[in-house]
Amino acid sequence: MKKESKKIPTHVAIIMDGNGRWAKKRLLPRAMGHSAGAKNVEPICEAAWDLGVKYLTVYAFSTENWTRSDDEVNTLMKLLKQYLEGCKEKCLKNNMRVRIIGDISRLPQDLQDTIVSLEEYSKQFDGLQFQVALNYGGRDDIVRAVKKISDKVNAGELNCEDINEELISKSLDTADIPDPDLLIRTSGELRISNFMLWQMAYTEMYFTDVYWPDFDKNELEKALIYYADRDRRFGGRKNESQ
Ligand code: IPE
Ligand code: IPE
Ligand code: MG
C-alpha cells in the first residue's frame, strides 16, 4: 500500500482536447462541445484530489486559439468567464486554490478582475492546487520570463552569471508549482501544442482517444495506472524517490 501511494503523480497536467469532435459526433454545434467540456472540469478536479493528486493544471485556451473564428473565441471567453465567476463556490466546497497561468493582460478587463479576485480569495485553501492555463503558450511563458530577467539585469539587480535553470523556472508563470509528473492529452492527438514546454522536460506522457467531455474519473484512473507502471528516469538514472 505504502509503495503504491508513492506512485501517485504530484502534479498532473491535462490538454483538454476534442470538444469540437465530441459535438460533431453528436451532430451538435461546436459550442455545445465546449459547454460539455467546461462542465467536466469540476468532476475531474474532485476525482484528481480523491485519487491523491496535489496539483492539477488544465490547458483551457492557448495563445494560438485566438486564430479560431470570432464566434468560437467569443463562446470560449463566455464559458471561461462563467466558469471563473462560479469558481469561488467550488473552491470553498472543495478546499481548492485556483491560479491562472498565461498572459491575462490580453483578456477583457472584467475577466481580468474576476481572475484577480478569485486568486486572492482562493489563496486560503490548501486542498487541490488547481491551475487554469488561459491565453497560455509555453513559448510565450519563456519569452515573458526572459523579459523579467532582462529587466533585472538592466536595472543592475542581477548579473548575467546569475542566470541559471532555477532562476528561469522561478520566472515562469508556474514559479511556485512543481513541474508536472504526468501529462494527459485527450482526443488522440500526439502533440504538446505549446503547453508547458520548459516545465515538461521530464514529464511522462499519456495519450487517450477519449474526447475531453467523456474523460471521467475512470479514465483518469487509467492514466494514473499507466503512470504507476512507468519506470521514471532522469538522465538514465532511476529516480529513487518514485
Ligand atoms: C479543446 O477542444 C478546447 C480548446 C482548444 C479550447 P477543441 O475545440 O480543440 O476540439 P477539437 O480538437 O476541434 O475536436
Ligand atoms: C490545445 O488544443 C489547446 C487547448 C486544449 C486549450 P488545440 O486543439 O488548440 O491544439 P491543436 O491546434 O490541435 O494543436
Ligand atoms: Mg483541438
Side-chain angles (χ1 to χ4, degrees):
M1 187 63 208
K2 197 157 182 247
K3 190 164 177 272
E4 293 246 308
S5 64
K6 273 189 179 173
K7 291 275 202 169
I8 299 287
T10 302
H11 183 178
V12 174
I14 306 184
I15 302 180
M16 309 184 290
D17 199 10
N19 293 348
R21 279 163 285 166
W22 181 91
K24 194 174 176 198
K25 208 174 95 183
R26 289 164 177 74
L27 306 176
L28 295 169
R30 288 179 68 83
M32 299 280 280
H34 291 314
S35 123
K39 284 201 190 84
N40 198 31
V41 173
E42 194 186 6
I44 290 299
C45 287
E46 292 178 355
W49 180 251
D50 266 8
L51 294 168
V53 173
K54 301 278 184 289
Y55 293 82
L56 177 69
T57 303
V58 298
Y59 205 4
F61 193 91
S62 74
T63 46
E64 288 72 32
N65 286 148
W66 295 107
T67 60
R68 296 191 180 198
S69 72
D70 288 351
D71 203 31
E72 184 162 359
V73 169
N74 289 339
T75 300
L76 287 166
M77 286 299 140
K78 217 175 90 190
L79 281 168
L80 281 161
K81 188 164 189 286
Q82 251 172 32
Y83 174 80
L84 294 170
E85 275 173 353
C87 212
K88 282 185 184 169
E89 233 171 87
K90 296 178 178 93
C91 291
L92 182 62
K93 181 177 152 217
N94 294 330
N95 193 30
M96 177 174 90
R97 178 177 183 178
V98 182
R99 277 173 279 192
I100 305 301
I101 60 168
D103 181 4
I104 67 163
S105 69
R106 195 174 161 189
L107 301 174
Q109 190 57 50
D110 58 339
L111 193 50
Q112 292 186 42
D113 295 343
T114 304
I115 289 168
V116 171
S117 156
L118 173 62
E119 287 186 331
E120 186 55 38
Y121 171 78
S122 76
K123 261 185 192 167
Q124 57 182 310
F125 301 118
D126 61 1
L128 183 72
Q129 305 293 293
F130 181 50
Q131 289 67 238
V132 181
L134 185 38
N135 188 25
Y136 182 86
R139 288 181 173 181
D140 183 62
D141 196 2
I142 294 169
V143 168
R144 287 183 288 108
V146 169
K147 283 184 180 162
K148 277 184 221 163
I149 293 170
S150 309
D151 283 349
K152 285 191 184 147
V153 172
N154 284 339
E157 293 164 23
L158 193 73
N159 294 317
C160 280
E161 298 72 53
D162 300 329
I163 301 173
N164 54 26
E165 291 188 9
E166 195 192 345
L167 179 70
I168 294 178
S169 289
K170 281 189 177 153
S171 307
L172 296 168
D173 291 340
T174 46
D176 306 321
I177 297 160
D179 288 343
D181 303 288
L182 173 67
L183 169 75
I184 299 170
R185 183 168 189 155
T186 59
S187 89
E189 306 301 336
L190 309 182
R191 288 189 289 283
I192 294 182
S193 297
N194 202 13
F195 202 20
M196 301 187 272
L197 299 178
W198 174 278
Q199 297 88 335
M200 296 207 298
Y202 267 97
T203 300
E204 299 287 341
M205 308 219 168
Y206 176 84
F207 299 97
T208 170
D209 287 339
V210 173
Y211 296 139
W212 169 250
D214 291 331
F215 187 87
D216 58 10
K217 186 174 186 180
N218 187 38
E219 294 298 332
L220 179 61
E221 273 188 276
K222 284 190 205 165
L224 297 192
I225 289 167
Y226 165 87
Y227 175 84
D229 285 343
R230 302 300 300 162
D231 182 13
R232 295 206 75 193
R233 282 173 190 276
F234 297 85
R237 179 179 57 83
K238 195 165 165 41
N239 181 15
E240 300 302 339
S241 72
Q242 295 294 310

